[in-house]
Amino acid sequence: MRHFTSQSLIMAELQLQHEVQPQLLNGDVLNEEREDADATESVKKKRRKKKRNKTTAPAGTNEAEGDGEPGGVGDVTKQLEQQTLEDKEKEEDGEEDGEEGENSAGKKKKKKKKKKGLRGQTDPPSIPICELYPSGDFPKGEECEYPPSKDGRSAAWRTTSEEKRALDMANEEMWSDFRQAAEAHRQVRSYVRSWIQPGMTMIDICERLEDCSRRLIKENGLKAGLAFPTGCSINHCAAHYTPNTGDPTVLRYDDICKIDFGTHINGRIIDCAFTVTFNPKFDRLLEAVRDATNTGIKFAGIDVRLCDVGETIQEVMESYEVEIDGKTYQVKPIRNLNGHSIGQYRIHSGKTVPIVKGGEATRMEEGEAYAIETFGSTGRGAVHDDMECSHYMKNFNVGHVPIRLPRAKHLLNVINENFGTLAFCRRWLDRLGESKYLMALKNLCDLGIIDPYPPLCDIKGSYTAQYEHTILLRPTCKEVVSRGDDY
């Protein structure tokens, strides 16, 4: 009896196990547990699992109910199929995650690269332009179509000509040097405008400007640096004034100051100037000169006669009248100041661009660079040498000249090493540690090795203004390389 009872209990337990195991193998029960466990996974994975459930669950149920034996062939087959599907899903998920990872890494890399390309300038400016644009792709100036020829033919063909494009690309390195120097000029003058104000000494203004310019151009001997001293001529003085050491001149509210400075890369010079005023009574005078300069730029071009450019400038400038302190003046172009062609390490390379009618009938040529500058005055419209000299420059064409004075020989070596044929001023010699050099400098001037450039002034009591840009006569178009948002 006991044996029968224990045998019955064993059989009941086995039967119970048979009933439980198929239920555990049932695909529906497994999937419910999996869906609960995977509740936090992405929607994409859930949809894939549901799709799999629809195809596998009925087969699993049938096998579980039909076989009735645990560990049967149907159960093993079903488990293998489920394992294969799960492995497949993991591989697919891994691939997708990998793609997403690559994409996100790519995005991050791209963002980082973009951030590097958009690296901003500091305030005050301190990062050299070559580091702001490490690719060497410097901002272009304003590109303009050349004016039509006398017979009315358009110059638009130059922009599409394959030959002109090839010539343009052949000189890309030179254009790039100009653009780097121009970008430095733009950023420096923007910085200067932010702090220049009445009450500052002219020495302080010039030294702050030049320090910033040296940083941005990344001064490097004769390869990169300042092209000429900072001009800060005031009122009736139109050009070539920069303070010598000890000059106490202070900028005043009623002054009209011409800021004229240059930068260069490998001798490719940017010559660009603007006028600073604080009293709005000068606004009309500034407008007249700015308009005249832009007119000169507009009419300049390949095969254009220099005298024709001067005539258009004069016509525009003389069309303006200004009222200053209750007195009306017609704005006069300063007839003995001109624009000029620019050569490598040579600020005045031979051709002059007049700002009055007459002058040379010489034509502008392809590949040249010009400084288009105009000066307007309420005085006589002519300048003369006046005041103490501060600007000097080595004669570009001078040959060997015997020098007797040892100090003059030493000074010439200093000039050759630091400035070459670029202009310099006495402050810059002081900065290099030179002293007691005035006699030696005079000796070099007397020998014709160095040329002095004293300040140029109209009559006292008059006011003068200046605007200037550098233009490149490229084979395909005219580029106002120094153009900025300010002027």
Side-chain angles (χ1 to χ4, degrees), residues 206-208 210-215 219-221 225-226 245 414 418-419 425-435 437:
C206 291
E207 288 183 346
R208 284 183 68 178
E210 289 165 1
D211 287 346
C212 180
S213 193
R214 287 187 176 100
R215 286 194 301 271
E219 189 176 36
N220 180 22
L226 309 185
T245 303
V414 170
N418 292 279
F419 312 120
C425 65
R426 282 158 55 174
R427 276 188 301 105
W428 291 2
L429 292 175
D430 299 334
R431 184 174 176 269
L432 293 170
E434 296 300 311
S435 61
Y437 53 77

Side-chain angles (χ1 to χ4, degrees), residues 283-293 316-317 320 322 331:
D283 289 353
R284 185 72 172 161
L285 176 59
L286 269 59
E287 183 187 345
V289 180
R290 188 165 50 239
D291 191 6
T293 298
V316 169
M317 193 176 297
Y320 281 83
V322 298
V331 182

Side-chain angles (χ1 to χ4, degrees), residues 418-469:
N418 292 279
F419 312 120
T421 55
L422 296 172
F424 62 94
C425 65
R426 282 158 55 174
R427 276 188 301 105
W428 291 2
L429 292 175
D430 299 334
R431 184 174 176 269
L432 293 170
E434 296 300 311
S435 61
K436 299 179 181 178
Y437 53 77
L438 288 178
M439 187 63 74
L441 185 58
K442 184 179 184 304
N443 182 243
L444 294 176
C445 291
D446 292 342
L447 291 171
I449 300 171
I450 302 295
D451 292 324
Y453 291 88
L456 301 171
C457 303
D458 203 333
I459 56 173
K460 286 185 179 178
S462 62
Y463 297 102
T464 59
Q466 174 196 14
Y467 277 94
E468 177 180 22
H469 274 301

